């Protein structure tokens, strides 16, 4: 196992078709980083479990859930000490003691439903990332570029829908779908440019005469 890890660490990086040497760190998104994080942070996990703290961790990202702000501050001090013993520093800019629904983790956040029931939702920054990708699409006709974008676009891609299947907010996906369709229609109308072209193309697609005239005006 140690020999395999060493080979991973000594392997180069393929960038733009060229292999480059790497002298420190692990490649972003590679399978080795989570593995080494699990090995290194195992003592942290065991200490949190021993203290009865509810937590979730992916690689080096960690959320600890407690019942009060004071307990959260104590947990933060504990983590600073545990990480310090491993010669690691907590990113203070991204870390905080806060209410769960004000924080995000791996694209998820929380919301309080009727009866003060806490449920999961897709984090707002994950939705913003999807919308920004759609906004960046060229205003040309519907084509393979748009289809590729939608197939790989976060929560609306097949993989994204599977990933966010635990979210208790199905209406968000419906609203996002309506927003994307509206953006796509606006891009198509802009590409047609002339009112006569808009009217002709809409009528050819079965849009009623009254609606086509309003859109072409």
């Amino acid at each position: 196992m140690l020999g395999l890890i060493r080979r991973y660490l000594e392997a180069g990086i393929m960038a733009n078709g060229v292999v480059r040497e790497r002298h420190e760190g692990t490649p972003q998104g590679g399978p080795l980083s989570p593995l080494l994080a699990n090995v290194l942070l195992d003592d942290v996990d065991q200490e949190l479990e021993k203290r009865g703290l509810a937590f979730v961790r992916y690689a080096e990202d960690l959320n600890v859930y407690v019942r009060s702000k004071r307990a959260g501050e104590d947990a933060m001090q504990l983590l600073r000490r545990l990480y310090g013993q491993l010669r690691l520093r907590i990113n203070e800019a991204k870390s905080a003691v806060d209410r769960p629904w004000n924080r995000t983790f791996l694209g998820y956040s929380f919301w309080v439903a009727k009866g003060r029931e806490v449920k999961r939702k897709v984090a707002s920054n994950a939705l913003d990332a999807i919308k920004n990708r759609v906004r960046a699409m060229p205003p040309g006709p519907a084509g393979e570029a748009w289809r590729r974008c939608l197939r790989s676009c976060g929560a609306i891609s097949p993989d994204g829908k599977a990933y966010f299947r635990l979210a208790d907010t199905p209406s968000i996906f419906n609203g996002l779908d309506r927003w994307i369709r509206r953006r796509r229609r606006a891009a198509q109308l802009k590409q047609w440019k002339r009112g006569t072209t808009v009217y002709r193309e809409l009528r050819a697609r079965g849009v009623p005469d009254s609606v086509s005239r309003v859109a072409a005006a």
Side-chain angles (χ1 to χ4, degrees):
M1 177 61 73
L2 292 177
L4 180 60
I5 291 175
R6 177 172 292 279
R7 291 183 64 184
Y8 263 114
L9 292 173
E10 293 177 347
I13 299 175
M14 180 74 75
N16 299 320
V18 179
V19 177
R20 299 180 180 177
E21 291 187 0
R22 180 167 49 85
H23 303 286
E24 63 180 2
T26 60
Q28 181 72 23
L32 185 60
S33 295
L35 172 63
L36 294 181
N38 287 339
V39 173
L40 182 63
L41 298 177
D42 184 63
D43 290 342
V44 176
D45 293 348
Q46 292 191 32
E47 183 65 25
L48 294 176
E49 290 176 353
K50 184 174 70 175
R51 292 171 179 260
L53 293 171
F55 68 96
V56 57
R57 180 176 64 81
Y58 179 78
E60 77 284 3
D61 292 329
L62 175 67
N63 277 9
V64 180
Y65 302 100
V66 294
R67 294 183 178 275
S68 67
K69 182 178 179 180
R70 175 62 182 273
E73 292 171 346
D74 291 342
M76 181 67 81
Q77 290 300 322
L78 171 65
L79 290 173
R80 287 194 180 100
R81 179 171 62 81
L82 293 175
Y83 276 60
Q85 292 172 353
L86 298 172
R87 299 182 181 180
L88 299 174
R89 292 195 306 270
I90 291 179
N91 188 331
E92 300 291 346
K94 294 183 178 180
S95 303
V97 177
D98 202 351
R99 296 189 179 276
W101 41 86
N102 293 335
R103 310 297 294 176
T104 64
F105 186 71
L106 302 179
Y108 276 93
S109 186
F110 297 99
W111 64 290
V112 182
K114 187 177 180 180
R116 297 188 60 80
E117 181 182 4
V118 177
K119 294 188 175 183
R120 296 173 295 270
K121 70 174 184 178
V122 182
S124 57
N125 57 354
L127 295 174
D128 290 341
I130 295 171
K131 289 186 176 182
N132 288 336
R133 287 192 61 183
V134 174
R135 290 189 182 102
M137 289 300 298
E144 185 59 30
W146 269 85
R147 286 190 285 272
R148 284 199 305 269
C149 174
L150 299 182
R151 283 198 300 267
S152 62
C153 215
I156 58 176
S157 69
D159 291 341
K161 289 180 179 178
Y163 179 80
F164 286 112
R165 69 185 183 279
L166 297 177
D168 300 311
T169 50
S171 61
I172 285 182
F173 296 103
N174 296 332
L176 184 61
D177 182 67
R178 289 193 297 270
W179 181 86
I180 291 174
R181 290 176 182 273
R182 186 165 61 250
R183 292 282 304 188
R184 186 66 200 93
R185 289 194 296 268
Q188 183 65 79
L189 289 173
K190 185 176 181 180
Q191 195 272 334
W192 284 334
K193 296 181 180 179
R194 297 170 60 88
T196 54
T197 305
V198 171
Y199 177 81
R200 183 182 69 249
E201 295 294 339
L202 291 179
R203 291 294 292 146
R205 287 162 172 75
V207 178
D209 179 78
S210 58
V211 176
S212 299
R213 290 183 180 276
V214 172

